[in-house]
């Protein structure tokens, strides 16, 4: 559909409709609102009643400036603005405003809507924008929901469709509204006016009825049909707006009206009624003027000639008024002449007279008076004034008079040389087009003449090159200052059109009609910096000034610092860009970027108000950032932005913190896990041999700890894990050996026999029941260190010693594994010396003993530990036993008889093996029988006593053997040199008590013998072996042996043995 923005202008000239050709601009598509990037094709046409002629050029304007000149009548545009077009030999069209918008939703409609038009309103969303619930509104109320189409149709537009329209839709829960469009339905044509050539025609004359109306100038392509109505009689619909009665008859009198409608449309309108009264035939009444052609200032005489009308008559003079106005009565008199003494142009018009005689009223014909007006002084102006063409060597000179009767002769002169002479019969102006060259710059003028003498215009001089100057308050210009631009030419005829430009963009256009200078003032803003120039034109083409540069100094605004990618957190290794930007400020601008008040970089911006700084993020980049901008008026700082760099945890380090150098059972160990880097919070997990012990979170960085009370089972490998959500990191394994302090050691003395005997090897064994190796053992004798040995794998260790008499005493040991020294209980050792061979000495009162003498047998061992049991023998028959507790010998006194002659010997035994003395022979000299009998009786009694004692001792010994599983140590040989092969173990043995011991010998040929207990008994009681353990009543008694193991160790003298070979 074509949208005609402008059509033909109709004006009544000489009773006919004359046309002035005007261009019409149309759009395709027809919308005036479109999206950015779309294209509209403009079409320019010139309508006229006669056959169209071929146009050579078409000009396109936006706004006021010629944008382009084309040979075709189409022109594509993509920019918003008010467009006009002009076809050759026609006037420019009306303006059509186009809007290209970036909105998401627009409402499209034609700019002009006429009655009965079929109108489409289109609610259009931008491409790739999906809107729901599209709704069309009229005057703020819902008109229609646009479900399946974006178009709304008005099929027959009428006044009820007037209103404000817009549409809306929903995008992602947000409402989007379009632009508003105001629709005003215009009349296609006004109601017609019925006119008659005469409302009181004389019968027989011709009467013409005219139905006057006019189509809108924007719809020239439509066709109107007319018909005339009188009561119930109607004419046919015809294109002609006239209906003629020829001749008119009396029966044609009556009330008439006319109707007009558009072809193929329902739009139909009716005029007001018009009364027609047909008059009877009368005498002729005519009007004429003198002179026939009159000029302004002359006298005009109108004559009304009345023939055949009886006198007296009166004549009324009338001047017709246009259209529906009532004709103006000028004068009524009996005179048949009407004079206008001084004619003016306003006196021109159509006149008639009416003659009355009381019975008749006769109207004359009309006469048209044309008042010829002398031409006024013409005005020469270049055309079009103030409009710049792209082809600047073409110009039109317009010579125009304000008044003057047509026809008028125009002449154009350049420097008094006639350029052209032409006649105008329809307008009081004339154009002359010429091509300008450098030789055509000079003085121009024109003349106009309509027969009363030529009138000359003022000379027109083309403008010289203008000069542009600035007017500012100081040497430097700032935002907000008042700036005045002044453009001035040295010569040039007025009016002069001045235009001010910045960077080729038009700022202002002004017309100077009284001065050859013009100024333009404005308040400076940032964008006003740039190159300025002005142009001046009075119709001969624009003259351009030299360009002047204006630099506006604007202090920088507070900069805005932004992060890219957006957000306050980022990972280590990411690329971050800091962008510092100011909204205003003159270049150059120095930008500085800071991190925690430390300058990162300094950058100069010479063409943009923004600069950026990029870097790869590390953990140290966390913190506050800001930037500053400065262009010489002092730095401006941005707001601070905090950037948190998320650092994946590094491999944590597990540290075991002990209260001492070594881990000891019962201590509290602190397991501390810490990652050297990693963003908090960090979750730490602790493990022992892959078994979770516990976890702890560090909310502010640093490490975390876990406390553990140590037990022996806590020895092993430990590790920890750290996790802050960016991946788990495990520490290296740390081994922990939990050490056990040594317990109180037990000292054991081990000897090869029951008793410790000089020359034997003594094994001193020290051992703790618990304690982590290595353990160092220290041995002591009477608090004097004997030596120290280490046990690398646990258990005890031994120390060997060859026994001497000096070694008797208290023994102890110490154990130490670095966690504290523990000392054993003291154990006493008594080293016994076996008896030496005793010496038997017979002591008598004389050299030759005789019966009755007293014989002293003295047996004594030179060495040997006490108590020593001595046995006296006579011819290998035991005489008596006696014990020595002091280490001295013992004696036996015998009253000799004859039977005492023989061999005597003695035996010494301290439990470490008997020793037999050398035999001593004694010869007793005989006496008388009574005496001998007495002696024999005495000797027999002594022997029986000794045998009884020996029997008791033997019974005790045998009881001990049965209890211990052993055998008597004495054999039939009584070998005094046989060693005792038994090994004894002493536990906490005190010093020997000087009590009578009860011995039980050990058969060296038997196996291990275990003594459960040996007790001391009183000397006067019989020697008995106890079968059960019970405490001695004597507080000095104690347990001597606990067990005896078999051994065969012997030594000749005390000496240290190899300590590296422990003996158990």
């Amino acid at each position: 559909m074509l949208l005609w923005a402008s059509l033909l202008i109709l004006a009544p000239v000489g009773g006919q409709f004359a046309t002035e050709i005007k261009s019409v601009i149309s759009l395709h598509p027809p919308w005036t609102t479109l999206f950015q990037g779309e294209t509209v094709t403009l079409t320019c046409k010139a309508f006229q009643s006669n056959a169209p002629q071929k146009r050579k050029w078409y000009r396109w304007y936006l706004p006021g400036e010629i944008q382009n000149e084309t040979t075709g009548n189409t022109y594509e545009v993509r920019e918003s603005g008010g467009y006009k077009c002009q076809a050759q030999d026609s006037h420019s069209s009306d303006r059509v405003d186009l809007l290209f918008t970036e909105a998401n939703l627009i409402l499209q409609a034609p700019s002009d809507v006429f009655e009965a038009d079929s109108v489409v309103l289109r609610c259009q969303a931008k491409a790739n924008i999906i809107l729901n619930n599209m709704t069309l509104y009229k005057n703020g109320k819902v008109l229609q929901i646009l479900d399946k189409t974006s178009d709304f149709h008005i099929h027959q537009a009428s006044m009820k469709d007037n209103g404000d329209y817009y549409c809306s839709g929903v995008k992602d829960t947000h409402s989007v509204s379009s632009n508003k469009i105001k629709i005003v339905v215009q009349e296609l044509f006004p109601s017609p006016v019925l006119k008659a050539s005469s409302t009181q025609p004389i019968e027989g004359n011709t009467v013409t009825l005219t139905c006057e109306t006019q189509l809108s100038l924007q719809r020239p392509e439509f066709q109107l049909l007319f018909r005339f109505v009188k009561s119930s009689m109607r004419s046919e619909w015809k294109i002609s707006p006239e209906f003629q009665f020829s001749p008119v008859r009396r029966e044609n009198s009556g009330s008439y009206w006319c109707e007009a409608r558009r072809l193929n449309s329902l739009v139909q309108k009716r005029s007001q009624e018009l009364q027609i009264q047909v008059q009877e035939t009368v005498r002729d009444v005519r009007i004429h003027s003198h002179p026939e052609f009159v000029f302004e200032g002359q006298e005009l005489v109108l004559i009304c000639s009345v023939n055949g009308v009886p006198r007296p008559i009166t004549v009324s003079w009338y001047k017709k008024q246009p259209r529906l106005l009532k004709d103006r009565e000028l004068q009524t008199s009996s005179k048949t002449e009407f004079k206008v003494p001084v004619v003016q142009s306003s006196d021109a018009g159509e006149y008639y007279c009416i003659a009355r005689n009381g019975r008749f009223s006769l109207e004359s014909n009309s006469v048209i008076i044309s008042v010829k007006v002398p031409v006024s002084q013409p005005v020469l102006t270049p055309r079009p004034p103030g409009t710049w063409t792209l082809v600047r060597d073409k110009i039109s000179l317009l010579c125009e008079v304000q008044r003057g009767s047509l026809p008028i002769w125009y002449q154009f002169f350049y420097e008094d040389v006639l350029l052209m002479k032409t006649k105008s019969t329809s307008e009081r102006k004339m154009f002359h087009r010429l091509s300008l060259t450098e030789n055509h710059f000079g003085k121009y003028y024109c003349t106009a003449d309509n027969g009363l003498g030529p009138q000359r215009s003022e000379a027109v001089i083309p403008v010289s090159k203008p000069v542009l100057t600035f007017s500012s308050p100081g040497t430097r210009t700032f935002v907000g200052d008042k700036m005045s631009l002044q453009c001035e030419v040295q010569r040039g005829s007025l009016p002069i059109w001045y235009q001010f430009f910045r960077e080729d963009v038009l700022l202002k256009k002004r017309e100077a009609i009284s001065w050859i200078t013009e100024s333009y003032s404005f308040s400076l803003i940032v964008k006003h910096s740039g190159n300025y120039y002005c142009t001046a034109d009075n119709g001969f083409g624009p003259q351009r000034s030299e360009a002047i540069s204006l630099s506006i100094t604007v202090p920088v605004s507070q900069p805005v610092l932004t992060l890219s990618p957006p957000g306050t957190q980022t990972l280590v290794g990411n690329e971050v860009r800091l962008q510092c930007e100011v909204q205003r400020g003159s270049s150059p601008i120095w930008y500085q970027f800071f991190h925690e008040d430390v300058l990162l970089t300094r950058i100069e911006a010479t063409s943009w108000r923004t600069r950026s700084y990029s870097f790869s993020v590390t953990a140290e980049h966390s913190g506050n950032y800001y930037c500053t901008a400065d262009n010489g008026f002092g730095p401006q700082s941005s707001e601070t932005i905090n950037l948190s760099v998320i650092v994946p945890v590094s491999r944590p380090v597990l540290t075991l913190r002990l209260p001492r150098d070594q881990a000891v059972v019962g201590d509290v160990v602190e397991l501390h896990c810490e990652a050297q880097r990693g963003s908090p919070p960090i979750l730490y997990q602790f493990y022992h041999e892959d078994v979770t012990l516990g976890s702890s979170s560090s909310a502010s960085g640093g490490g975390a700890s876990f406390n553990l009370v140590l037990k022996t089972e806590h020895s092993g490998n430990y590790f920890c894990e750290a996790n802050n959500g960016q991946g788990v990191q495990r520490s290296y394994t740390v081994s922990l050996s939990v050490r056990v302090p040594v317990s109180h050691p037990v000292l054991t003395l081990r000897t090869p026999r029951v008793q410790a005997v000089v020359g034997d090897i003594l094994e001193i064994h020290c051992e703790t029941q618990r304690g982590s190796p290595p353990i160092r053992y220290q041995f002591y004798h009477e608090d004097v260190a004997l030596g120290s040995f280490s046990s690398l794998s646990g258990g005890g260790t031994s120390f060997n010693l060859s026994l001497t008499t000096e070694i008797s005493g208290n023994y102890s040991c110490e154990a130490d594994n670095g966690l504290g020294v523990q000392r054993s209980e003291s154990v006493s050792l008594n080293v016994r010396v076996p008896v030496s061979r005793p010496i038997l000495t017979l002591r008598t009162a004389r050299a030759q003993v005789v019966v009755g003498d007293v014989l002293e047998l003295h047996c004594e061992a030179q060495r040997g530990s006490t108590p020593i049991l001595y046995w006296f023998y006579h011819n290998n028959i035991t005489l008596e036993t006696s014990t020595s507790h002091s280490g001295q010998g013992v004696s036996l006194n015998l009253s000799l008889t004859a039977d005492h002659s023989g061999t005597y010997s003695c035996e010494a035994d301290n439990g470490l093996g008997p020793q037999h003395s050398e035999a001593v022979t004694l010869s007793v000299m005989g006496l008388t029988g009574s005496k001998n009998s007495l002696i024999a009786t005495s000797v027999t009694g002594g022997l029986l006593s000794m045998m009884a004692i020996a029997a008791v001792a033997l019974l005790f010994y045998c009881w001990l053997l049965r209890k211990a599983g052993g055998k008597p140590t004495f054999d039939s040989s009584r070998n005094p040199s046989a060693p005792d092969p038994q090994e004894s173990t002493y536990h906490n043995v005190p010093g020997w008590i000087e009590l009578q011991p009860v011995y039980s010998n050990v058969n060296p040929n038997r196996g291990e013998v275990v003594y459960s207990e040996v007790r001391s008994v009183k000397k006067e009681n019989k020697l008995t072996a106890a079968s059960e353990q019970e405490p001695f009543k004597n507080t000095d008694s104690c347990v001597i042996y606990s067990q005896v193991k078999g051994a065969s160790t012997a030594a000749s003298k005390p000496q240290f043995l190899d300590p590296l070979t422990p003996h158990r």
Side-chain angles (χ1 to χ4, degrees):
M1 185 180 77
L2 295 178
L3 174 65
W4 304 114
S6 180
L7 294 171
L8 302 180
I9 298 176
L10 304 180
V13 177
Q16 301 295 325
F17 284 103
T19 60
E20 182 182 65
I21 302 174
K22 187 168 186 177
S23 300
V24 175
I25 190 169
S26 63
L27 312 177
H28 182 77
W31 319 119
T32 57
T33 302
L34 302 100
F35 289 113
Q36 282 281 5
E38 295 183 334
T39 302
V40 174
T41 301
L42 306 182
T43 302
C44 191
K45 293 185 179 180
F47 285 88
Q48 59 187 20
S49 59
N50 55 349
Q53 61 178 2
K54 186 176 180 180
R55 310 286 176 176
K56 295 182 179 179
W57 54 259
Y58 296 87
R59 289 175 181 166
W60 309 91
Y61 300 89
L62 174 70
E65 294 183 6
I66 296 179
Q67 292 294 303
N68 204 349
E69 183 174 301
T70 63
T71 57
N73 69 335
T74 60
Y75 181 55
E76 290 188 351
V77 296
R78 298 179 179 85
E79 296 181 357
S80 299
Y83 288 87
K84 290 183 180 182
C85 76
Q86 181 184 8
Q88 181 182 0
D89 298 326
S90 67
H91 294 286
S92 61
S93 69
D94 288 337
R95 169 171 162 166
V96 175
D97 290 314
L98 297 182
L99 173 63
F100 292 88
T101 179
E102 294 183 353
N104 290 328
L105 179 65
I106 62 174
L107 179 61
Q108 296 177 316
S111 63
D112 294 300
V113 178
F114 288 90
E115 295 172 298
D117 279 356
S118 180
V119 181
V120 176
L121 302 181
R122 178 166 295 171
C123 193
Q124 186 71 26
K126 184 185 286 185
N128 301 325
I129 299 295
I130 298 177
L131 298 178
N132 300 316
N133 301 331
M134 298 280 280
T135 305
L136 180 65
Y137 295 85
K138 176 185 176 184
N139 296 328
K141 297 182 180 180
V142 175
L143 180 60
Q144 183 170 318
I145 304 296
L146 305 176
D147 290 331
K148 300 180 180 179
T149 180
S150 61
D151 291 352
F152 176 76
H153 293 270
I154 301 174
H155 297 288
Q156 290 288 332
S158 62
M159 300 303 174
K160 64 182 177 60
D161 296 313
N162 290 345
D164 293 327
Y165 292 79
Y166 73 94
C167 62
S168 69
V170 177
K171 178 180 182 293
D172 300 331
T173 72
H174 298 290
S175 178
V176 179
S177 294
S178 73
N179 54 298
K180 283 189 177 182
I181 291 180
K182 185 177 185 66
I183 292 181
V184 178
V185 180
Q186 304 178 51
E187 282 189 323
L188 183 61
F189 57 93
S191 296
V193 175
L194 179 61
K195 290 187 177 182
S197 57
S198 175
T199 58
Q200 293 180 341
I202 298 174
E203 187 177 10
N205 289 343
T206 300
V207 175
T208 302
L209 299 180
T210 304
C211 194
E212 291 187 0
T213 188
Q214 184 176 341
L215 277 170
S216 172
L217 299 178
Q218 296 167 288
R219 293 292 189 269
E221 73 277 16
F222 291 159
Q223 182 69 55
L224 290 180
L225 299 178
F226 303 92
R227 73 178 177 181
F228 298 86
V229 181
K230 177 186 179 186
S231 298
S232 60
M233 299 189 322
R234 290 177 171 81
S235 68
E236 296 294 329
W237 289 102
K238 295 183 179 180
I239 296 176
S240 174
E242 294 183 347
F243 184 83
Q244 195 172 66
F245 296 97
S246 181
V248 65
R249 302 179 185 276
R250 292 290 300 273
E251 58 267 25
N252 295 136
S253 296
S255 182
Y256 291 84
W257 70 88
C258 70
E259 294 176 346
R261 72 177 178 89
R262 196 189 105 188
L263 181 64
N264 299 325
S265 172
L266 299 178
V267 179
Q268 180 174 321
K269 298 182 181 181
R270 169 180 165 171
S271 71
Q272 298 290 327
E273 293 184 2
L274 178 67
Q275 193 70 32
I276 302 294
Q277 186 65 46
V278 180
Q279 304 293 323
E280 294 180 359
T281 303
V282 293
R283 300 287 182 178
D284 185 28
V285 177
R286 296 184 179 276
I287 187 172
H288 58 88
S289 63
H290 178 77
E292 184 178 358
F293 300 99
V294 65
F295 287 91
E296 275 187 341
Q298 293 180 339
E299 180 184 48
L300 173 64
V301 177
L302 296 177
I303 301 172
C304 186
S305 298
V306 180
N307 298 313
V309 178
R311 299 292 191 269
I313 60 172
T314 59
V315 178
S316 297
W317 302 90
Y318 291 89
K319 183 179 182 182
K320 286 188 177 183
Q321 301 299 311
R323 292 187 180 255
L324 300 178
L325 295 177
K326 184 179 180 180
D327 293 343
R328 183 164 62 95
E329 183 178 352
L330 302 177
Q331 177 182 309
T332 300
S333 68
S334 60
K335 294 180 180 181
T336 59
E337 290 184 358
F338 173 73
K339 292 182 179 181
V340 180
V342 179
V343 174
Q344 298 180 358
S345 59
S346 59
D347 293 327
E350 187 175 358
Y351 293 83
Y352 65 91
C353 64
I354 298 177
R356 298 181 180 92
N357 63 356
R359 290 182 59 193
F360 304 102
S361 178
L362 303 178
E363 181 177 339
S364 71
N365 61 309
S366 298
V367 62
I368 297 175
I369 302 300
S370 297
V371 178
K372 293 186 64 76
V373 179
V375 292
S376 60
Q377 183 180 16
V379 175
L380 179 64
T381 56
R383 283 297 182 185
T387 302
W388 319 130
T389 65
L390 297 177
V391 183
R392 301 197 177 186
D393 58 350
K394 297 288 187 179
I395 191 171
S396 292
L397 297 178
L398 173 63
C399 188
E400 184 176 16
V401 295
Q402 295 300 313
R403 53 189 172 81
S405 299
L406 298 174
I408 302 174
W409 286 93
Y410 291 94
Q411 295 183 100
F412 294 87
F413 295 87
Y414 167 67
E415 297 291 350
D416 296 329
V417 176
L418 178 63
L419 299 176
M420 184 189 75
K421 181 179 181 181
T422 184
K423 179 182 179 182
S424 175
T425 60
S426 60
E427 294 182 302
R428 295 185 181 90
K429 57 185 177 182
M430 183 57 65
F431 289 92
H432 172 56
R433 181 169 298 171
L434 69 158
S435 297
L436 288 177
T437 64
E438 292 182 357
N439 297 328
H440 283 147
F441 285 90
K443 182 172 65 176
Y444 291 82
Y445 64 91
C446 69
T447 63
D449 185 7
N450 63 351
L452 297 181
Q455 296 290 325
R456 175 173 169 167
S457 70
E458 296 289 339
V460 176
I461 302 174
V463 294
S464 60
K465 183 176 182 178
V467 176
L468 179 66
T469 57
F470 284 158
S471 174
S472 61
T475 57
R476 299 180 68 180
T477 55
F478 300 94
V479 169
D481 286 353
K482 192 74 173 179
M483 172 60 68
S484 179
L485 303 179
Q486 182 171 295
C487 190
E488 184 176 9
V489 296
Q490 296 301 314
R491 66 179 183 277
S493 300
L494 298 173
I496 300 174
W497 282 96
Y498 289 95
Q499 292 189 115
F500 296 88
F501 293 86
R502 179 180 62 83
E503 302 294 351
D504 296 325
V505 175
L506 178 64
L507 299 176
K508 196 71 175 178
K509 179 179 179 183
R510 289 190 172 176
E511 181 182 17
I513 60 176
S514 59
W515 300 92
I516 59 174
T517 181
E518 192 62 53
S519 62
Y520 168 55
S521 299
F522 54 93
S523 293
L524 293 177
I525 59 176
V526 178
K527 66 178 183 180
H528 286 155
S529 291
N531 294 318
Y532 288 78
Y533 65 88
C534 68
T535 62
D537 189 9
N538 61 353
F540 292 90
Q543 293 293 318
R544 175 170 168 169
S545 71
E546 296 292 337
I548 298 179
S549 178
L550 175 63
S551 177
I552 300 173
T553 305
V554 182
V556 293
S557 59
Q558 183 180 19
V560 176
L561 181 65
T562 56
L563 291 175
S564 179
T568 59
Q569 291 187 342
T570 187
L571 291 174
V572 168
N574 285 351
E575 187 77 13
V576 169
R577 181 166 61 91
L578 301 176
Q579 180 170 298
C580 191
E581 182 176 10
V582 296
Q583 296 301 314
R584 63 180 184 275
S586 300
S587 300
I589 301 174
W590 282 98
Y591 290 93
Q592 296 186 105
F593 295 86
F594 293 87
H595 173 221
E596 300 293 353
D597 296 326
V598 176
L599 177 64
L600 298 176
T601 188
R602 186 169 186 260
I603 307 173
E604 183 184 16
T606 59
S607 59
W608 300 93
R609 295 192 185 92
T610 180
R611 275 294 178 264
S612 60
Y613 170 65
S614 299
F615 56 90
S616 183
V617 173
T618 65
E620 294 75 17
H621 286 138
S622 287
N624 293 321
Y625 289 81
Y626 66 92
C627 68
T628 63
D630 187 8
N631 63 349
F633 293 89
Q636 294 290 327
S637 295
S638 70
E639 298 290 337
T640 299
I641 293 180
N642 181 269
L643 177 63
S644 177
V645 179
I646 300 176
V647 183
V649 293
S650 60
R651 182 189 293 271
V653 176
L654 178 64
T655 305
L656 304 183
R657 296 173 179 173
L658 300 165
R660 61 186 87 192
D661 294 337
Q662 302 182 45
V664 180
V665 169
D667 287 349
V668 176
V669 63
E670 178 187 356
L671 284 75
H672 184 76
C673 187
E674 184 171 359
Q676 294 303 311
R677 63 180 184 275
S679 300
I682 302 174
L683 178 65
Y684 292 95
Q685 195 88 12
F686 296 88
Y687 297 88
H688 173 226
E689 302 292 355
D690 295 323
V691 176
T692 302
L693 297 176
S695 62
S696 179
S697 181
S698 175
S700 59
S705 298
F706 179 79
N707 292 333
L708 189 67
V709 179
L710 291 178
K711 299 179 182 178
T712 54
E713 56 267 24
H714 288 150
S715 293
N717 294 321
Y718 290 81
F719 64 88
C720 67
E721 291 180 343
N723 186 8
N724 65 348
Q726 303 299 320
V728 179
Q729 293 291 329
R730 174 178 285 194
S731 71
Y732 290 111
T733 300
V734 177
S735 297
L736 176 66
S737 178
V738 179
R739 307 205 65 201
V740 182
V742 293
S743 59
H744 285 283
V746 175
L747 181 67
T748 303
L749 303 182
R750 294 173 180 171
T751 59
R753 63 187 83 193
V754 176
Q755 297 184 14
V757 180
V758 170
D760 287 350
I761 300 301
L762 172 67
E763 179 187 354
I764 306 174
H765 184 77
C766 189
E767 184 173 0
T768 62
Q769 295 302 312
R770 64 180 183 276
S772 300
I775 303 173
R776 185 171 184 80
Y777 292 95
Q778 188 86 18
F779 295 90
Y780 294 91
H781 174 229
E782 299 295 347
D783 296 326
V784 176
L786 297 176
S788 61
F789 306 96
S790 293
S791 175
L792 301 177
S793 59
T797 188
S798 298
F799 177 73
N800 293 338
L801 195 63
S802 183
L803 294 178
T804 63
T805 55
E806 294 81 8
I807 293 177
S808 295
N810 294 321
Y811 286 82
S812 63
C813 69
E814 289 179 347
D816 183 13
N817 61 354
L819 305 177
V821 179
Q822 296 291 332
R823 190 158 188 160
S824 70
E825 299 290 338
S826 295
V827 176
S828 296
L829 177 68
N830 186 15
V831 179
R832 304 202 68 199
V833 180
V835 294
S836 61
R837 172 175 290 195
I839 297 173
L840 178 62
T841 304
L842 302 180
R843 295 174 182 172
T844 60
R846 64 190 78 189
Q848 179 64 43
V849 294
V850 296
V851 173
D853 286 346
V854 177
L855 175 64
E856 178 185 0
L857 285 78
H858 183 78
C859 188
E860 182 176 3
Q862 294 301 311
R863 63 180 185 276
S865 300
T866 59
I868 301 174
L869 178 62
Y870 287 95
W871 299 72
F872 290 94
Y873 298 94
H874 175 234
N875 294 327
N876 291 328
I877 296 174
T878 302
L879 294 177
E880 186 176 353
T881 63
S882 179
T883 300
S884 173
H885 294 281
S886 61
Q888 297 178 355
V890 296
S891 296
L892 173 66
N893 292 329
L894 292 177
S895 180
L896 295 175
T897 64
D899 296 331
H900 288 150
S901 294
T903 301
Y904 288 86
S905 62
C906 68
E907 192 179 65
D909 189 5
N910 62 354
L912 302 177
Q915 293 291 328
H916 208 79
S917 70
E918 297 290 335
V920 177
T921 303
L922 177 64
S923 177
V924 179
M925 298 298 293
L927 294 178
T928 62
S930 57
K931 190 173 181 178
N932 288 341
S933 178
L934 180 60
I935 293 170
T937 301
S938 299
V939 171
T940 300
L943 289 175
L944 291 173
S945 299
M946 293 179 64
M947 289 177 65
I949 293 171
V952 172
L954 182 60
L955 288 174
F956 176 71
Y957 178 60
C958 290
W959 178 82
L960 287 176
L961 287 177
R962 285 196 303 271
K963 188 172 183 180
K967 292 183 178 182
T969 59
F970 292 116
D971 62 5
S972 59
S973 65
R974 288 180 174 270
N975 186 2
S977 62
D980 187 356
Q982 302 298 315
E983 179 183 7
S984 300
T985 302
Y986 301 85
H987 292 283
N988 302 326
V989 180
W992 293 100
I993 302 173
E994 295 295 330
L995 296 177
Q996 179 64 45
V998 178
Y999 297 93
S1000 179
N1001 293 327
V1002 178
N1003 187 349
N1005 298 323
R1006 299 293 300 271
E1008 182 181 82
V1009 177
V1010 178
Y1011 290 84
S1012 63
E1013 194 175 80
V1014 178
R1015 297 180 181 175
S1016 297
V1017 296
K1018 292 184 180 181
K1019 187 176 181 180
E1020 63 270 22
N1021 293 336
K1022 293 180 180 181
L1023 295 174
T1024 61
S1027 62
E1028 296 180 359
Q1029 292 185 359
E1030 58 182 5
F1032 295 118
K1033 293 181 181 179
N1034 188 343
T1035 58
D1036 292 334
S1037 66
C1038 66
V1039 177
I1040 300 174
Y1041 307 102
S1042 64
Q1043 74 178 32
V1044 178
K1045 298 180 181 178
S1048 60
T1049 305
S1052 61
K1053 61 181 178 178
Q1055 61 182 351
F1056 292 107
L1057 299 182
D1058 184 4
L1060 298 177
T1061 304
H1063 297 272
R1064 297 182 181 274

